[in-house]
Amino acid sequence: MFYESQDINKKNEYRDSLKIIGSLSNLFSDSNVPYLYYRIAEKIFCNSFSANDLSRGDVALDAIKNNIGIGLKTFLAGNNKSFQKVAEFNKDKPLYENKSPAKLIQAVAELRNERIKFTENLYGIDKSIYHCVIRDENSFKLYEENMNYVDIDNITDVKKVKNSIRFNDAIHDYSFNISKSTLTKRFNTSSLLDEFNVEILKNPLEDIRNCILQNELLYSSDNNIKDTVYLPLYGKNKTVYEKSGLNQWNANGRLRNENEVYLPIPVNVHKKSPAFFPDRDSPFNLKLPKGDVLQVKVCQDNSKALMSYSNRELGQWILRDVLSLEEGELVTYEKLQILGVDSVRIDKIDNINFEINFASLGSFENYLESN
């Protein structure tokens, strides 16, 4: 697992940071069980172990370090075998609704597996795990286990109980909540990696105020993202055209490389963020989630396309490395829907350095509607 292989100083830093946040629990609750908001837990983990934070990526994992993908979770100890949410499929109901329980569970399991695979391909991950911070009375406990694909061939004991469907795949127990479209998995957490006490401050607000006044703390932001736009991976009516965009390699005319693609830049993006991209045909750097950097440019009439300078590099990344498509296989909106993505997010660092990542279903429409 991940935690046991880390440097002792990093582990101490991690524990200390969790203790500090846990000590502030009386800001939120009167319970003896320390409070820990999941976003804070993610930040502490990434900062302590110098892991890459994936929380902005709309993917199945929260962090990556040394090609290990990590799903970060925090929950109450309870009976040490509780069900916890591992995936949500609100936007995918048309793919499984009105099916029998067995067919519904097979569809959900396929969606779950495809999204883990997509994330692993996107970031070059060799192995994925869960890292859990378990909240118990005056203590935190740490637990890890492998993030397994659902073993579809061995799904058994499919049983509908009220608004949920429970099943087993010979590895784990699962439950799918039909109304909430959430998949939960049982975590058996009796075997722990670590456990430590948390001293909860009686009056944390007063302690924080005194600390700030005594040390004259200065506040600053390390956010280096200047601006962000979203680009769709489809055209009108949620259609990925067969001879343009991600299927540009299939266009008529000259002989084309099987990886030739471009990302469409709708005119609404230029209107909304006119100074975001460099001028047409001006080269700039585009950093991929794995850290590789492509040289790209805005091109075509009305600056309507984003392409790599070697027009096969962008396609190699999207079509082969991430989507795992065979040469000659068309990208369809249905394929994107299965993976839970239909847009890309472009972050501007400065005038020549940009970063790209995939974005969840509906992200482009939400971007256009935002102020």
Side-chain angles (χ1 to χ4, degrees):
M1 288 293 131
F2 177 86
Y3 179 77
E4 290 184 324
S5 67
Q6 300 307 298
D7 178 80
I8 184 63
N9 294 323
K10 294 291 186 181
K11 291 196 285 189
N12 287 337
E13 177 185 342
Y14 181 54
R15 285 192 293 259
D16 288 344
S17 296
L18 289 174
K19 289 179 182 178
I20 291 171
I21 294 300
S23 73
L24 305 177
S25 295
N26 276 340
L27 287 172
F28 318 101
S29 168
D30 295 327
S31 172
N32 288 331
V33 177
Y35 177 82
L36 181 64
Y37 181 55
Y38 75 99
R39 289 295 188 197
I40 297 176
E42 292 168 358
K43 292 294 184 184
I44 289 175
F45 181 92
C46 292
N47 289 341
S48 298
F49 297 116
S50 301
N52 185 12
D53 187 348
L54 307 184
S55 61
R56 281 175 52 85
D58 293 320
V59 292
L61 295 162
D62 301 301
I64 178 175
K65 177 70 181 290
N66 297 334
N67 298 107
I68 298 176
I70 303 148
L72 299 167
K73 305 198 70 62
T74 177
F75 50 85
L76 291 169
N79 61 1
N80 294 320
K81 52 181 180 180
S82 63
F83 281 90
Q84 301 297 327
K85 185 174 78 171
V86 294
E88 185 173 313
F89 302 103
N90 269 323
K91 298 177 182 179
D92 307 290
K93 285 186 177 180
L95 300 176
Y96 60 76
E97 63 183 350
N98 301 322
K99 294 181 181 289
S100 67
K103 293 293 186 182
L104 185 152
I105 289 305
Q106 180 171 344
V108 167
E110 289 172 350
L111 286 170
R112 172 62 174 164
N113 290 350
E114 285 293 328
R115 293 184 184 178
I116 295 176
K117 180 182 177 183
F118 168 78
T119 304
E120 291 177 338
N121 288 344
L122 182 61
Y123 293 98
I125 292 169
D126 299 326
K127 175 183 179 180
S128 298
I129 68 166
Y130 289 108
H131 175 91
C132 306
V133 181
I134 303 165
R135 300 160 50 218
D136 208 346
E137 188 165 338
N138 295 306
S139 68
F140 284 141
K141 301 175 180 180
L142 304 183
Y143 168 80
E144 289 181 349
E145 67 173 53
N146 289 324
M147 183 183 291
N148 302 112
Y149 286 61
V150 180
D151 189 347
I152 296 175
D153 293 336
N154 286 307
I155 289 178
T156 58
D157 301 328
V158 179
K159 183 178 181 181
K160 186 174 181 181
V161 181
K162 294 183 178 179
N163 199 42
S164 297
I165 302 175
R166 295 197 172 190
F167 66 99
N168 181 281
D169 70 345
I171 306 173
H172 300 292
D173 295 324
Y174 292 92
S175 179
F176 182 73
N177 187 297
I178 299 172
S179 61
K180 296 181 179 179
S181 302
T182 55
L183 179 66
T184 63
K185 187 189 80 69
R186 189 190 299 277
F187 285 82
N188 294 298
T189 58
S190 55
S191 178
L192 300 172
L193 296 173
D194 203 350
E195 180 178 2
F196 44 91
N197 292 331
V198 176
E199 182 179 352
I200 298 176
L201 298 172
K202 292 182 179 180
N203 192 345
L205 187 59
E206 186 64 27
D207 292 331
I208 293 172
R209 181 184 294 112
N210 291 336
C211 180
I212 292 175
L213 292 176
Q214 290 172 11
N215 294 283
E216 298 180 353
L217 296 179
L218 299 177
Y219 299 93
S220 64
S221 173
D222 293 328
N223 186 6
N224 61 349
I225 297 174
K226 302 298 186 294
D227 198 1
T228 297
V229 303
Y230 288 79
L231 304 180
L233 298 176
Y234 54 86
K236 292 181 179 179
N237 301 319
K238 296 290 180 71
T239 299
V240 182
Y241 299 133
E242 292 188 358
K243 298 183 183 297
S244 61
L246 296 186
N247 295 318
Q248 174 71 5
W249 55 268
N250 193 44
N252 297 326
R254 62 175 174 80
L255 183 65
R256 299 176 186 273
N257 185 275
E258 63 275 4
N259 290 329
E260 184 177 339
V261 303
Y262 68 84
L263 298 176
I265 308 176
V267 64
N268 287 343
V269 173
H270 289 303
K271 290 180 178 178
K272 187 177 178 68
S273 303
F276 184 86
F277 288 109
D279 294 337
R280 177 178 168 179
D281 293 325
S282 298
F284 59 96
N285 300 320
L286 187 65
K287 185 178 180 181
L288 307 183
K290 289 172 60 176
D292 299 331
V293 177
L294 303 183
Q295 190 171 62
V296 299
K297 62 181 177 180
V298 172
C299 55
Q300 297 190 17
D301 293 341
N302 300 316
S303 298
K304 67 179 183 180
L306 177 64
M307 298 183 70
S308 55
Y309 256 72
S310 170
N311 57 22
R312 67 189 66 182
E313 288 183 336
L314 189 60
Q316 172 66 42
W317 174 61
I318 296 175
L319 302 180
R320 313 296 168 229
D321 298 345
V322 177
L323 300 184
S324 297
L325 298 179
E326 299 292 334
E327 291 183 6
E329 183 178 356
L330 291 170
V331 180
T332 64
Y333 190 81
E334 289 72 23
K335 173 67 174 178
L336 298 176
Q337 190 175 22
I338 288 172
L339 297 175
V341 299
D342 66 2
S343 314
V344 292
R345 188 188 75 243
I346 309 289
D347 294 324
K348 182 175 184 176
I349 309 304
D350 55 43
N351 289 332
I352 62 170
N353 291 295
F354 296 72
E355 298 180 355
I356 186 172
N357 211 321
F358 283 83
S360 61
L361 300 172
S363 294
F364 175 66
E365 289 94 337
N366 292 338
Y367 159 74
L368 288 184
E369 293 173 0
S370 65
N371 293 324

